[in-house]
Amino acid sequence: MQDPGPSATALGVAARRAAHQWLDHPRVFEDPLALRILPPELAAHARRTPWMGMPLVLRAILVARSRFAEDELTRARARGTRQYVILGAGLDTFAYRRRPGDGDLQVFEVDHPATQAWKRRRLSDAGIPVPDSVHFVPVDFETASLGERLAQAGLDRGAPTFFAWLGVTMYLTRPSIARTLEFAGSTGSGGGIVLDYLRPRAALDLGDRIGFDLLARWVAQRGEPLRTTFEAEEIGAVLRGAGFGSVVDLGRDEINERYFRDRSDRLRVRGSVARMLSARL
Ligand SMILES: C[S@@+](CC[C@H](N)C(=O)[O-])C[C@H]1O[C@@H](n2cnc3c(N)ncnc32)[C@H](O)[C@@H]1O
């Protein structure tokens, strides 16, 4: 059988995080491994054509959501969380950027088996060491039991656990999103989750519909069609039903206020297609 290779959207967002490292000052999201983890031909392409056919606005939301997840993880760690589950990890490099105080954090990278196998080869080819605290968990959210796989990988379900689920909900069906959140909501109190989601096309104004359609076409052409959108109230209700409380849901203005204030360049979130939230257990 032919190797299906890595997720094209995972490569696409990773290339933009890398471009952020050398194009944007000050950086919203510091990732010294962002360029090194890219396959060399993509890294060269990103260096030559940093816009990569996508507007600045997309880079802003991508770096903001990664920063948001790691900021919220820091808070969860202060509450005693020692398990970090990165759902649909793609080329996320958190686990390989060890910092002082990260010692006792166990990181579970969950991803589609094809993307994860590719990433493991890429880490090796790039000479990026994999710490013992990293657990690879190949899972297709649509067909496998996340809870079972994480338990096999050593996750303590009764202990506080923080989840990041960035750039994934839009590619999944509603039942698999609900199942995943039910599992996350069944882990120990003190943990939490950060995720992002897209709003329904019909709820958007004309400018945002154009952006939504461009994104929908770009991802569909790469075999990863958009499947699910939410309004804030809907995803909030799913989270509360799964056991989460105190949902903080951020749109353009709140994200810009938090991460893009007082910049002299044009890097900021525009439009209302994407939102991100954090919820606590
Ligand atoms: C846009 S990428 C985001 C990657 C990463 N979270 C980031 O922000 O860089 C989407 C990720 O979702 C994963 N994914 C999509 N559908 C999946 C599924 N059914 N099961 C498991 N992972 C899936 C892909 O493999 C890919 O890593």
Side-chain angles (χ1 to χ4, degrees):
M1 200 181 112
Q2 206 190 349
D3 181 351
S7 151
T9 61
L11 290 172
V13 297
R16 284 157 185 91
R17 277 196 299 271
H20 175 63
Q21 305 306 307
W22 73 82
L23 288 179
D24 302 322
H25 306 284
R27 290 181 199 117
V28 172
F29 181 62
E30 295 280 346
D31 186 349
L33 293 178
L35 187 61
R36 200 161 140 206
I37 198 162
L38 294 182
E41 59 286 5
L42 181 58
H45 176 58
R47 278 269 184 212
R48 275 196 311 272
T49 50
W51 302 102
M52 289 174 283
M54 269 204 195
L56 186 65
V57 27
L58 264 175
R59 194 160 79 234
I61 189 84
L62 296 175
V63 297
R65 74 184 190 192
S66 291
R67 166 75 184 271
F68 183 49
E70 294 191 14
D71 284 352
E72 292 299 307
L73 170 67
T74 302
R75 292 181 181 195
R77 295 204 67 205
R79 301 193 296 271
T81 303
R82 298 289 173 266
Q83 301 185 117
Y84 181 30
V85 179
I86 309 176
L87 297 166
L91 277 69
D92 190 293
T93 65
F94 172 86
Y96 318 100
R97 288 182 264 122
R98 305 302 289 176
R99 283 158 298 199
D102 282 347
D104 60 348
L105 186 70
Q106 298 298 308
V107 182
F108 297 82
E109 283 206 5
V110 177
D111 209 341
H112 193 279
T115 296
Q116 187 162 90
W118 178 91
K119 181 180 188 178
R120 296 182 74 169
R121 287 196 300 275
R122 179 67 209 132
L123 286 165
S124 163
D125 290 349
I128 299 174
V130 177
D132 293 343
S133 53
V134 179
H135 311 271
F136 291 104
V137 190
V139 169
D140 182 334
F141 294 119
E142 299 292 343
T143 57
S145 162
L146 178 63
E148 263 172 41
R149 297 284 171 85
L150 279 169
Q152 285 161 5
L155 186 94
D156 176 358
R157 186 171 178 166
T161 306
F162 186 78
F163 294 82
W165 207 10
L166 305 180
V168 190
T169 60
M170 51 292 282
Y171 303 108
L172 302 179
T173 59
R174 230 166 248 269
S176 86
I177 295 169
R179 273 197 310 276
T180 302
L181 292 177
E182 267 159 35
F183 170 75
S186 73
T187 55
S189 76
I193 191 164
V194 159
L195 62 81
D196 62 335
Y197 60 95
L198 299 184
R199 295 181 56 225
R201 185 180 186 280
L204 304 174
D205 67 21
L206 182 62
D208 279 344
R209 277 187 199 184
I210 293 170
F212 184 101
D213 290 345
L214 285 172
L215 178 68
R217 196 171 61 200
W218 193 89
V219 297
Q221 281 169 347
R222 286 155 181 82
E224 298 173 47
L226 296 181
R227 288 206 162 106
T228 298
T229 57
F230 291 100
E231 281 290 31
E233 307 74 50
E234 279 180 273
I235 184 79
V238 178
L239 282 158
R240 277 185 287 275
F244 288 92
S246 67
V247 178
V248 176
D249 193 301
L250 308 181
R252 174 194 57 207
D253 295 344
E254 295 92 351
I255 299 170
N256 285 335
E257 176 62 22
R258 216 178 253 226
Y259 295 121
F260 300 97
R261 213 171 34 165
D262 300 330
R263 293 186 70 92
S264 54
D265 61 11
R266 293 170 43 245
L267 187 71
R268 64 186 52 82
V269 176
R270 293 168 211 273
S272 305
V273 180
R275 298 183 67 89
M276 59 195 197
L277 63 79
S278 99
R280 275 173 66 163
L281 277 169

